């Protein structure tokens, strides 16, 4: 977790009732591990919202930050000056966006939980100027009201908690408000299904995929009964370990995502391949499972005889871009 967010969380959590936070964290873990959309407001009080910020915000922040970096790797010119964080809760996506885009000036977080917004605003006051001055707006996302216009809309860890019809309305509202939309969900079959539905809806509306897909055709993993996701590793703080009852000093947050934009993605910008799983390294070779620009998914085995391409394969990671054919990857 980056030091600014860590310090901000510690400042807000200082003096909080540790036992109450642990009990609330246990309830939240039970809800999120159930695999079903919650039947009622999850962050129903200030303690629950504070526990969520302490136990989930580090992981969701790390995942969203990595997603935005993937988008920047495809298009380094991406430079939003305004953000609307839809269903942003305690503001993890806003923190990630402010850190990844140094030109970001205007931030608005929209959510249905007043308690989550209050905790998020308290944490944000310890952050960079764009967060300290952010607007935290309570709104029922099902009321059909338009979202404030922005260069970038983030819809993170939200759609999987909504009924399909409401998911569609939220995606449509984000697309109407912004020029770039980032949808992020847990890297589970259900989370991926929500991302895939959002991707399909954006493509049907004439939008264009920036990341992770190197194409705009049907997802080859979905066609094979699989799901597209990746893992983001983050360090746990001492408080994080205590609240989760965890022994390890790190955790891996699995995430599915799509970043799309209103304007076309030039062929020269779009990646020709994406690594779908952890590369498998054997003596003298690396096996990469790839999503390809032609809409297929297949394995490529890179041998030591391929020189620079083999060295690049040894450094490739799950989720990274990968070039096709004989073109050697950039160092």
């Amino acid at each position: 977790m980056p030091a600014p967010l860590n310090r901000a969380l510690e400042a807000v959590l200082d003096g909080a009732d540790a036992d109450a936070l642990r009990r609330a964290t246990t309830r939240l873990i039970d809800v999120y591990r159930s695999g079903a959309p919650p039947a009622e407001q999850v962050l129903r009080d200030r303690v629950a919202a504070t526990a969520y910020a302490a136990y989930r915000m580090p992981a969701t922040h790390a995942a969203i930050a990595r997603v935005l970096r993937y988008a920047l790797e495809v298009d380094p010119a991406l430079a939003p000056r305004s953000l609307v964080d839809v269903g942003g809760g305690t503001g993890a996506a806003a923190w990630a966006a402010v850190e990844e885009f140094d030109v970001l000036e205007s931030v608005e977080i929209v959510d249905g939980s007043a308690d989550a917004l209050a905790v998020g605003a308290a944490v944000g006051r310890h952050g960079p100027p764009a967060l300290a001055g952010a607007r935290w707006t309570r709104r029922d996302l099902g009321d059909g009201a338009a979202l404030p216009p922005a260069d970038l809309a983030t819809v993170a860890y939200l759609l999987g908690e909504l009924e399909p019809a409401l998911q569609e309305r939220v995606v449509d509202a984000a697309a109407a408000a912004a020029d770039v939309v980032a949808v992020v969900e847990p890297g589970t079959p259900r989370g991926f299904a929500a991302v895939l539905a959002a991707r399909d809806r954006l493509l049907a509306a004439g939008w264009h995929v920036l990341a992770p897909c190197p194409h705009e055709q049907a997802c080859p993993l979905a066609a094979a009964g699989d799901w597209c996701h990746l893992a983001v590793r983050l360090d746990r703080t001492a408080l994080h370990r205590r609240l989760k009852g965890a022994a390890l000093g790190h955790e891996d947050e699995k995430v599915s995502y799509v970043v799309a934009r209103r304007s076309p993605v030039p062929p020269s910008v779009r990646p020709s391949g994406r690594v779908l799983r952890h590369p498998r390294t054997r003596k003298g070779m690396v096996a990469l499972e790839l999503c390809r620009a032609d809409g297929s998914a297949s394995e490529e085995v890179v041998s030591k005889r391929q020189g620079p391409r083999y060295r690049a394969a040894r450094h490739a990671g799950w989720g990274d871009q990968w070039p096709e054919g004989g073109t050697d990857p950039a160092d």
Side-chain angles (χ1 to χ4, degrees):
M1 188 180 358
L5 177 56
N6 189 11
R7 289 194 296 268
L9 285 170
E10 288 178 348
V12 171
L13 294 168
D14 185 36
D17 185 331
D19 289 336
L21 288 181
R22 277 193 292 270
R23 290 192 297 271
T25 298
T26 299
R27 289 194 297 271
L28 291 172
I29 290 173
D30 290 342
V31 169
Y32 291 123
R33 284 182 177 172
S34 72
E40 58 183 5
Q41 177 70 259
V42 176
L43 306 184
R44 58 177 184 262
D45 55 43
R46 187 65 177 257
V47 174
T50 304
Y52 179 88
Y55 123 80
R56 278 299 290 157
M57 199 171 173
T60 56
H61 167 270
I64 299 162
R66 191 66 188 95
V67 163
L68 297 178
R69 285 198 296 276
Y70 281 131
L72 272 170
E73 288 169 7
V74 176
D75 183 6
L78 193 62
R81 293 185 175 274
S82 55
L83 166 75
V84 57
D85 184 10
V86 187
T90 56
W95 273 87
V98 168
E99 290 164 359
E100 298 304 322
F101 302 111
D102 56 10
V103 297
L104 197 56
E105 300 170 344
S106 172
V107 174
E108 183 162 356
I109 298 91
V110 178
D111 196 88
S113 169
D115 292 299
L117 293 169
V119 171
V123 176
R125 282 194 287 273
H126 297 275
L131 278 167
R135 296 179 297 280
W136 300 80
T137 304
R138 185 181 185 186
R139 179 177 300 170
D140 179 355
L141 296 175
D143 64 8
L147 293 167
D151 296 329
L152 169 66
T154 49
V155 186
Y157 293 84
L158 170 67
L159 296 183
E161 299 183 6
L162 306 177
E163 295 299 325
L166 185 50
Q167 290 183 27
E168 293 177 353
R169 291 201 294 273
V170 168
V171 171
D172 290 348
D179 296 319
V180 178
V181 173
V183 176
V184 185
E185 287 290 320
T188 62
R190 185 164 66 91
F192 172 63
V195 169
L196 185 62
R199 177 186 186 270
D200 290 346
R201 195 163 185 84
L202 290 166
L203 286 174
W207 279 55
H208 305 274
V209 174
L210 188 63
C213 317
H215 60 84
E216 294 182 347
Q217 301 177 54
C219 174
L221 292 191
D226 201 350
W227 72 97
C228 183
H229 67 293
L230 59 97
V232 178
R233 176 158 291 188
L234 67 145
D235 294 330
R236 288 170 170 157
T237 64
L239 173 64
H240 198 191
R241 291 197 301 272
R242 287 197 303 272
L243 287 176
K244 298 190 77 169
L248 292 177
H250 67 270
E251 69 179 72
D252 293 315
E253 174 73 5
K254 293 183 178 179
V255 62
S256 294
Y257 77 96
V258 65
V259 181
R261 72 184 196 186
R262 194 183 304 275
S263 59
V265 180
S268 60
V269 168
R270 188 184 300 281
S272 56
R274 183 78 68 175
V275 180
L276 292 173
R277 296 286 187 270
H278 281 305
R280 302 190 309 280
T281 303
R282 301 190 294 273
K283 185 177 180 180
M285 63 181 60
V286 180
L288 303 173
E289 187 69 25
L290 301 172
C291 184
R292 301 181 183 276
D294 63 3
S296 67
S298 61
E299 184 179 79
E300 177 179 341
V301 178
V302 184
S303 74
K304 195 171 184 178
R305 292 192 300 272
Q306 292 174 265
R309 192 169 180 83
Y310 171 73
R311 291 193 292 273
R314 285 181 59 85
H315 289 93
W318 188 1
D320 289 351
Q321 297 182 52
W322 184 255
E324 288 286 351
T327 303
D328 288 327
D331 292 336

